[in-house]
Amino acid sequence: MRQLVLVTGISGSGKSVAMHALEDAGFFCVDNLPPELLPQFLALDQARSQQRLAVAVDVRTVGSLPGLVPLLARLRGEGVLVRPIFLDASTDALVRRFSETRRPHPLSGAPAAGHPGDGDRTALVDAIDLERELLAELRAASTVIDTSQLRPAQLRAWLRELVQSTQPRLTLVFESFAFKHGVPLDADLVYDVRVLPNPHYDPVLRPFSGRDAPVADFLRAQPEVVEMLGQIGDFVARWLPSFEADQRSYLTVAIGCTGGQHRSVYMVEALARRFAPRGATLIRHRELDGR
């Protein structure tokens, strides 16, 4: 099956890093292709026997964006495995990145200063808000990756995991995170496990993570942990067929605790084991992977 990865998202969210990662993974990559040329591009590369293609589209082609979602549906009907990936980040993270690189936002028309004043920041935030509005429909039809807390190496690794799966059924993504660093923007379902016993307060367990046997054994012995784990798993299992019927490609289940090291990590690992037999299951540990 021919595979097309469409990379889009908010300016400054990491599209260049994503395209370099896909190129390293063996994809033929084209940046900023006008969406209306996508069918001709696919036809040309079919003649060249290219099976793995990646195209980056952003707000610079804003006039063509309204027809992009219907076009992706048409390509799926023609047998192309289409994977739209939308990179997002918090507004604060985006403002910081533009300030550090001194690059202009494509909708602002003005360079970002190294230390923007109130007026410069307001103009940049307004441009980001407008971009979110223009790309909202495409975001809703895509797999979202929140890059606010990600290093480039993390983003490259997560992208490789996403594009390696060729199974047509919905892929389950279980992600642990720390509430103190914010809820992931890419989460579809969010569960708060901060009410569970915290291994952090045990000096012996504190250096370990939820992937390590001492912490796992401690949490497994807590009745409330077992109960909550079963309830979360049962909820996901009950509604998974409905998410699949909704033609989704990915469902991200985010589990949060205070520091993203112990309870949320253990819960993610346990849930992933439960659902692994159905296939297409990915694990992300936002705070651990960022070390």
Side-chain angles (χ1 to χ4, degrees), residues 199 205 208-210 212-220 262-263 266:
L205 299 178
F208 297 99
S209 80
D212 297 316
V215 172
D217 291 342
F218 169 81
L219 291 173
R220 197 179 296 116
H262 301 109
R263 294 166 291 180
Y266 169 77

Side-chain angles (χ1 to χ4, degrees), residues 10-12 59 98 103-112 123-124 127-129 131:
I10 305 299
S11 300
V59 77
F98 276 108
R103 295 186 62 189
H105 189 282
L107 297 180
S108 69
L124 180 54
I128 293 171
D129 289 344
E131 186 175 23

Side-chain angles (χ1 to χ4, degrees), residues 4-286:
L4 170 66
V5 176
L6 182 77
V7 178
T8 186
I10 305 299
S11 300
S13 59
K15 292 190 293 295
S16 296
V17 173
M19 291 300 283
H20 288 148
L22 291 169
E23 188 172 27
D24 292 342
F27 283 78
F28 183 81
C29 299
V30 176
D31 187 19
N32 199 31
L33 181 75
E36 59 267 26
L37 296 181
L38 195 51
Q40 293 91 322
F41 171 68
L42 290 172
L44 175 64
D45 278 284
Q46 186 172 22
R48 297 177 178 175
S49 299
Q50 290 283 354
Q51 296 297 314
R52 306 178 80 202
L53 309 172
V55 174
V57 175
D58 57 37
V59 77
R60 288 174 291 178
T61 56
V62 62
S64 305
L65 292 178
L68 185 53
V69 173
L71 175 59
L72 297 180
R74 193 186 93 194
L75 293 175
R76 288 192 179 99
E78 296 173 357
V80 179
L81 178 59
V82 180
R83 298 175 182 272
I85 296 175
F86 190 100
L87 304 182
D88 204 349
S90 68
T91 297
D92 285 343
L94 295 171
V95 170
R96 183 179 66 252
R97 291 171 189 176
F98 276 108
S99 299
E100 291 172 349
T101 62
R102 297 175 180 257
R103 295 186 62 189
H105 189 282
L107 297 180
S108 69
H115 298 283
D118 291 342
D120 294 327
R121 179 183 173 87
T122 299
L124 180 54
V125 170
D126 288 345
I128 293 171
D129 289 344
L130 175 59
E131 186 175 23
R132 292 193 192 281
E133 181 180 342
L134 293 171
L135 296 176
E137 183 181 7
L138 186 55
R139 187 187 193 279
S142 303
T143 299
V144 180
I145 298 179
D146 179 7
T147 69
S148 305
Q149 304 286 336
L150 298 189
R151 295 178 295 106
Q154 279 180 273
L155 177 56
R156 288 193 290 268
W158 287 14
L159 271 172
R160 284 195 297 269
E161 288 182 339
L162 285 176
V163 301
Q164 279 173 356
S165 173
T166 58
Q167 301 186 43
R169 68 188 306 182
L170 178 147
T171 297
L172 264 175
V173 181
F174 293 103
E175 178 176 356
S176 68
F177 71 95
F179 272 99
K180 66 180 181 180
H181 296 311
V183 177
L185 297 176
D186 49 8
D188 297 301
L189 300 174
V190 178
Y191 294 95
D192 183 351
V193 300
R194 287 176 291 183
V195 297
L196 299 178
N198 191 353
H200 174 80
Y201 295 114
D202 185 330
V204 176
L205 299 178
R206 186 178 304 166
F208 297 99
S209 80
R211 290 184 294 196
D212 297 316
V215 172
D217 291 342
F218 169 81
L219 291 173
R220 197 179 296 116
Q222 310 303 316
E224 54 266 61
V225 172
V226 175
E227 182 178 6
M228 183 177 285
L229 183 62
Q231 290 174 342
I232 295 174
D234 290 346
F235 181 90
V236 174
R238 163 63 182 85
W239 291 103
L240 192 56
S242 298
F243 285 113
E244 290 177 322
D246 195 39
Q247 301 299 312
R248 295 196 180 204
S249 298
Y250 297 90
L251 178 70
T252 299
V253 181
I255 311 290
C257 62
T258 305
Q261 307 293 321
H262 301 109
R263 294 166 291 180
S264 61
V265 171
Y266 169 77
M267 300 288 273
V268 160
E269 294 285 336
L271 287 166
R273 284 194 297 272
R274 171 172 174 174
F275 288 91
R278 69 171 291 278
T281 302
L282 301 178
I283 294 175
R284 296 176 183 169
H285 297 301
R286 190 180 72 180

